[in-house]
């Protein structure tokens, strides 16, 4: 507590560099991190629902999410190929 009070009263805060706008709360980077955190919480709740409410074993839940990941990758790859975003390969 005393160190914080000295930090303010001695104006040591003036010597600290401001945070770059790249790391600001509304930046693309922080918004993306927030979205990934929300996705991880959704996955955690989904895993809990599958294992606790439906009685699926843990390995079964992992298999469901693994297959969903493969399916999503396949769909995104097909969309990318259909739009020509793959560089013409």
């Amino acid at each position: 507590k005393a160190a914080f009070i000295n930090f303010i009263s001695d104006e040591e805060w003036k010597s600290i560099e401001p945070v770059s706008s790249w790391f600001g709360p509304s930046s693309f980077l922080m918004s993306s991190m927030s979205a990934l955190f929300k996705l991880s919480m959704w996955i955690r709740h989904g895993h809990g629902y599958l294992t606790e409410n439906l009685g699926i074993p843990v390995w079964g839940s992992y298999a469901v999410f693994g297959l969903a990941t493969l399916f999503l990758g396949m769909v995104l790859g097909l969309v990318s190929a259909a739009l020509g975003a793959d560089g013409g390969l």
Side-chain angles (χ1 to χ4, degrees):
K1 180 179 171 181
F4 180 70
I5 292 172
N6 289 337
F7 178 78
I8 300 299
S9 63
D10 295 343
E11 297 185 357
E12 294 177 26
W13 53 270
K14 289 184 178 180
S15 65
I16 296 178
E17 294 287 325
V19 175
S20 168
S21 63
W22 181 248
F23 295 107
S26 61
S27 69
F28 175 75
L29 179 64
M30 291 299 136
S31 297
S32 300
M33 291 300 292
S34 173
L36 287 174
F37 181 75
K38 289 176 184 176
L39 176 64
S40 71
M41 292 305 295
W42 181 85
I43 291 172
R44 181 178 177 205
H45 289 295
H47 173 72
Y49 178 77
L50 290 174
T51 57
E52 295 169 12
N53 294 13
L54 299 181
I56 295 175
V58 172
W59 63 266
S61 174
Y62 291 157
V64 167
F65 283 108
L67 290 172
T69 301
L70 290 173
F71 180 74
L72 182 61
M74 181 184 71
V75 169
L76 290 175
L78 289 172
V79 168
S80 174
L83 295 176
D86 61 348
L89 295 177

